[in-house]
Amino acid sequence: MSRALIIVDVQNDFCEGGSLPVEGGAGLAAEISEYVDAHHAQFDHIVATQDWHVDPGAHFSAEPDFLDSWPRHCVAGTRGAELHPDLDTEYIQAYFRKGQFTAAYSGFEGLLAPDDAVPTGDRKPGAMPLGGSTDTVAGGDTDEEPGSLAAGEDAIGLDDWLQSHDVEDVVVVGIATDHCVKATALDGIQAGYSVTVLRGLTVGISEDLDDAVAEMELGGVDIA
């Protein structure tokens, strides 16, 4: 049995200074880095998810209700969609990007980013490739939108990737406790994984996260 750590959406737009900041996001990025540095040997695999919006329709709104609609955030290829600079990517093996053309809260909706889109230590802010498969272009002659990921037969989702690496046990951390962390954890349970959320390595939008935690526990998620 393999064990994986899933780092959910620790991106610039979800941290202080971003377009949809969650209080404590920047500090969490550093705390997750410290945790990974100290505990990476306890995991066989470490992956990260990213909101990666091209045109998600009603998910973006000029008058958001902050339940089903939100201000523009994590637009594909922009600095806001990049992982926060305080999140150390040394041990991250794969990146899964979600929500190109629709709302997507769960990391299990994400598609594997190509190797050339993986951040490196010498990457300058704002220099992340738009991402996608070999079919993805910016301003080229294909029908793909700039920054999009091909979703054809060769697309690899998070569940596919975890299964191919014999993962049965996942641990989830990241942003936000009451939205993408919760959705990822509950989808993990539905997909048949043993799921633990490290409560101290998440931050939420709501001031009261008891309902979100209770929903995860009721769904079979272990809260540690």
Side-chain angles (χ1 to χ4, degrees):
M1 180 182 74
S2 293
R3 189 171 189 238
L5 177 69
I6 303 174
I7 302 171
V8 175
D9 297 2
V10 183
Q11 297 169 261
N12 286 324
D13 271 350
F14 294 142
C15 297
E16 290 83 349
S19 64
L20 189 55
V22 179
E23 184 177 355
L28 179 68
E31 290 172 8
I32 291 175
S33 294
E34 292 176 2
Y35 175 83
V36 171
D37 186 56
H39 299 282
H40 64 89
Q42 298 177 11
F43 298 95
D44 300 285
H45 307 287
I46 299 177
V47 303
T49 71
Q50 294 171 274
D51 263 12
W52 197 253
H53 296 308
V54 176
D55 182 10
H59 187 61
F60 283 175
S61 175
E63 298 181 355
D65 61 15
F66 295 94
L67 292 173
D68 299 309
S69 60
W70 307 86
R72 287 175 62 85
H73 60 275
C74 299
V75 174
T78 67
R79 185 178 183 279
E82 293 183 23
L83 298 175
H84 191 277
D86 287 343
L87 180 67
D88 187 350
T89 61
E90 178 181 358
Y91 297 104
I92 298 176
Q93 297 170 259
Y95 299 79
F96 295 86
R97 293 172 174 171
K98 56 190 173 68
Q100 294 177 80
F101 301 106
T102 186
Y105 296 94
S106 170
F108 284 89
E109 298 176 77
L111 298 177
L112 180 66
D115 289 342
D116 62 2
V118 174
T120 60
D122 58 359
R123 178 173 60 82
K124 293 181 172 57
M128 177 179 284
L130 287 179
S133 72
T134 54
D135 296 322
T136 301
V137 295
D141 296 327
T142 76
D143 293 330
E144 296 285 344
E145 292 284 345
S148 66
L149 303 177
E153 294 181 0
D154 294 333
I156 299 174
L158 177 56
D159 186 32
D160 300 320
W161 194 93
L162 294 175
Q163 287 191 45
S164 71
H165 290 80
D166 298 319
V167 173
E168 296 183 16
D169 182 15
V170 300
V171 175
V172 182
V173 300
I175 303 172
T177 316
D178 42 345
H179 290 278
C180 294
V181 167
K182 180 180 73 172
T184 300
L186 290 174
D187 273 3
I189 292 291
Q190 289 298 312
Y193 299 95
S194 173
V195 180
T196 300
V197 168
L198 300 184
R199 177 68 184 83
L201 288 179
T202 71
V203 291
I205 294 175
S206 174
E207 292 183 2
D208 184 359
L209 297 172
D210 288 348
D211 286 348
V213 170
E215 184 177 349
M216 286 190 281
E217 289 182 322
L218 184 62
V221 177
D222 290 329
I223 306 296

